[in-house]
Amino acid sequence: MTLRVSYLKFLKKILLVVWAALMCLPAFSQSNFENKLKQLNLSIEAKQTYDRSKLQRIAGLEQTLKLLLPADINGRYKVCTALYDEYKSFNYDKAFYYAQSMLSYGRRLKDPVKVANGKIKLGFVLLSSGMFKETFDSLNTVDVHILPDSIKQDYYFLNARTYYDLADFDADKYYTPLYNLRAGIYIDSAIALSTQTSYDYQYYLGLKYLKMGKRDQAAALLKKILHTYPLSNHQLAVTTSTLSDIYIQNNEIDEALQLLFQAAEADIKSSTKEAAAMLNLAKLLHTKGDIKNAYVFINQAMNDASYYGARQRKVQVSAILMVIAGEKVNSVEEQRRILFIYATLLTLLAAVVILFAFIIYRQLKKLKKADKIIIETNRSLQETIDQLNEAEKIKEEYIGYYFNLISESITKLEKFKRSVSNKLVTKKFDDIQMLVDNINLKKERDELFLNFDKAFLTLFPNFVEAFNALFEPEHQVKLSSDQLLNTDLRIFALIRLGIHDTEKIASILEYSMNTIYNYKARIKGKSILPNDDFELAILTIKAV
């Protein structure tokens, strides 16, 4: 009997220890999450420092290239290769330019290996920008047989990655398995050319297992890489990001978040702009209901995608950005509603206080001074409420402005639709033509530009003055009394809003691309800044 009692006491202690440990786990997990979040935010604050370091290396290489003699083709090829390596995940246009330069110098040297290497580098850049057809076009012209093993390995892995990315992009029951099968053939070739103890071998094999659905084997290899290999920031980002995909597929969201924090931080430290870690992190936080941090990180992902010029990534980020931004607006509205309730309750409370003070004042005149203090407190409270309402009103006007504009357009369209329908029913076809003729597209376009000008200058009231400060007085823009912006200003207003695609700007302003190029070249030519620095100066113009 005594033994039984002792056993029960021992079992009770064990259960208490287990219960205490389980209770501590959520707190530990939350603390770890907060630490990772804080660490990533600190890295984001230091982002410009990492970018400056990369830009300094690039500037040194570009200066070396300028000092090389035109006849030193081999030297120029090597420097262009180094510049490509710096730019390949940093800036699409520059990486594309130096990949083309490598091709050009390889052809001038009549060196087929250098030409093939340039095509492979060009293929990587095109794939990073989501241009699958162009990637295949570049890779299909490579003569693999002449390549040394190291470049063959890059060639096979790039083909594998292209087919894997295409499979993920299509997400089609027929084509996706076909593309994954082709990717598997290429990655097997890359694995065969890798040393078994190397990082490349382990990562290629882990990626292959992941795409084959062997998640446990893939996870084991990727964890082995993290624990046993000295990794660069880029390798760390790639490995942790790939491993996070496995945890996401297993619905182990907390573990995936920890890895994506690491990947995003490593991307920042390596100044990698063409990366998906920040995007995936924002998506996961959004699914967990953390709209505040999701909004911060999705904006970082959009900034990186825009900086790099990755078309596919910008489309991916834009889709989730709209959802998160919408929920953030709803969150702000909910906070405003709660604030209004609190303000109402506080106002009622103040009224009750004043009422009691009045009663006490009538009964005890000695409390008159206390009553004045309460009234003053209430006045200060009202001023605070007014300031908060004013701030909310500004936010509502920014959002409401565009909703009203869209609503007016829809109303016009509905009215036109009803008129045409009525004319069709009564077979008054000549009247339909009259309705169409009465549409003044130029007036609508002018009104659209005017609305754009007003909205833009509301956000950037000092834009015209800041723009003119980049020119000598004789070249500054002089607007007439009925103008808010002109074509020159609108082009760079769109650029300030993040629209850098010349084709898109030409479409918005109804000009040809050549016209937009000419406008930009003419304007930059008159500026007191070098052409390469002009748009950077435009992007630094502050909003209200």
Side-chain angles (χ1 to χ4, degrees), residues 73-182:
I73 307 301
N74 266 313
R76 298 181 76 83
Y77 180 89
K78 289 179 182 178
V79 177
C80 284
T81 302
L83 281 165
Y84 164 83
D85 288 334
E86 291 289 350
Y87 275 123
K88 66 180 181 181
S89 298
F90 186 64
N91 184 286
Y92 168 79
D93 289 334
K94 292 287 189 179
F96 184 88
Y97 171 79
Y98 285 111
Q100 291 281 25
S101 298
M102 290 172 65
L103 266 173
S104 175
Y105 289 134
R107 287 174 179 138
R108 289 173 64 181
L109 289 167
K110 297 182 180 179
D111 186 333
V113 174
K114 286 184 169 60
V115 171
N117 192 32
K119 290 178 179 180
I120 295 170
K121 303 297 188 188
L122 183 61
F124 177 89
V125 176
L126 293 170
L127 177 60
S128 296
S129 190
M131 302 169 70
F132 294 109
K133 177 185 178 301
E134 291 78 1
T135 303
F136 285 124
D137 288 344
S138 182
L139 294 178
N140 287 340
T141 61
V142 174
D143 185 0
V144 186
H145 302 91
I146 64 170
L147 299 177
D149 286 351
S150 60
I151 300 180
K152 273 186 184 178
Q153 179 183 324
D154 291 341
Y155 169 81
Y156 287 130
F157 179 66
L158 183 57
N159 271 285
R161 184 189 156 190
T162 304
Y163 276 113
Y164 280 142
D165 287 0
L166 186 56
D168 292 339
F169 179 79
D170 282 358
D172 179 79
K173 291 182 180 179
Y174 177 79
Y175 287 104
T176 292
L178 181 62
Y179 291 147
N180 279 330
L181 182 62
R182 292 180 183 176

Side-chain angles (χ1 to χ4, degrees), residues 19 124 232 418 452:
W19 179 81
F124 177 89
S232 66
R418 286 197 299 270
F452 170 79

Side-chain angles (χ1 to χ4, degrees), residues 308-358:
Y308 180 75
R311 296 166 179 81
Q312 182 183 357
R313 187 76 69 225
K314 283 194 285 188
V315 172
Q316 292 173 336
V317 175
S318 296
I320 190 66
L321 175 61
M322 292 175 64
V323 175
I324 294 175
E327 293 191 17
K328 182 173 176 60
V329 170
N330 291 336
S331 175
V332 171
E333 287 296 318
E334 179 64 17
Q335 291 175 8
R336 189 179 71 86
R337 188 182 67 82
I338 293 171
L339 183 62
F340 177 77
I341 293 172
Y342 286 161
T344 302
L345 291 174
L346 287 173
T347 303
L348 290 173
L349 179 62
V352 171
V353 171
I354 292 172
L355 178 62
F356 278 113
F358 179 73

Side-chain angles (χ1 to χ4, degrees), residues 271-459:
S271 292
T272 299
K273 306 297 182 183
E274 194 287 304
M278 196 71 78
L279 169 61
N280 291 333
L281 179 58
K283 284 182 180 179
L284 283 190
L285 289 173
H286 173 248
T287 60
K288 287 176 67 69
D290 189 350
I291 304 301
K292 177 184 175 183
N293 287 309
Y295 185 74
V296 171
F297 297 139
I298 198 65
N299 275 302
Q300 287 293 324
M302 176 56 80
N303 291 340
D304 286 344
S306 299
Y307 187 96
Y308 180 75
R311 296 166 179 81
Q312 182 183 357
R313 187 76 69 225
K314 283 194 285 188
V315 172
Q316 292 173 336
V317 175
S318 296
I320 190 66
L321 175 61
M322 292 175 64
V323 175
I324 294 175
E327 293 191 17
K328 182 173 176 60
V329 170
N330 291 336
S331 175
V332 171
E333 287 296 318
E334 179 64 17
Q335 291 175 8
R336 189 179 71 86
R337 188 182 67 82
I338 293 171
L339 183 62
F340 177 77
I341 293 172
Y342 286 161
T344 302
L345 291 174
L346 287 173
T347 303
L348 290 173
L349 179 62
V352 171
V353 171
I354 292 172
L355 178 62
F356 278 113
F358 179 73
I359 295 171
I360 294 171
Y361 173 76
R362 294 289 300 265
Q363 294 177 354
L364 301 170
K365 292 183 179 181
K366 292 181 180 180
L367 296 178
K368 185 177 181 180
K369 187 177 293 186
D371 185 53
K372 289 181 180 179
I373 294 173
I374 294 172
I375 294 172
E376 186 62 31
T377 301
N378 184 51
R379 187 182 299 112
S380 175
L381 176 63
Q382 189 60 47
E383 289 176 358
T384 302
I385 293 170
D386 291 342
Q387 290 174 358
L388 290 171
N389 287 335
E390 181 182 10
E392 293 300 326
K393 183 179 179 182
I394 291 171
K395 293 177 184 177
E396 289 175 354
E397 286 179 357
Y398 282 142
I399 298 169
Y401 182 84
Y402 284 100
F403 276 108
N404 289 336
L405 187 61
I406 294 169
S407 178
E408 289 174 4
S409 298
I410 292 173
T411 301
K412 288 180 181 179
L413 187 59
E414 286 180 345
K415 184 177 179 182
F416 179 77
K417 180 183 175 184
R418 286 197 299 270
S419 298
V420 171
S421 296
N422 291 335
K423 300 301 180 184
L424 287 172
V425 171
T426 57
K427 298 184 178 181
K428 294 181 179 181
F429 302 112
D430 293 338
D431 290 350
I432 294 174
Q433 183 61 47
M434 187 181 299
L435 284 173
V436 174
D437 292 340
N438 285 337
I439 297 174
N440 189 339
L441 293 179
K442 183 180 183 305
K443 180 182 177 182
E444 294 292 333
R445 175 63 66 176
D446 291 342
E447 185 178 345
L448 177 62
F449 284 158
L450 179 61
N451 286 329
F452 170 79
D453 296 348
K454 289 179 180 177
F456 181 80
L457 290 175
T458 300
L459 290 168

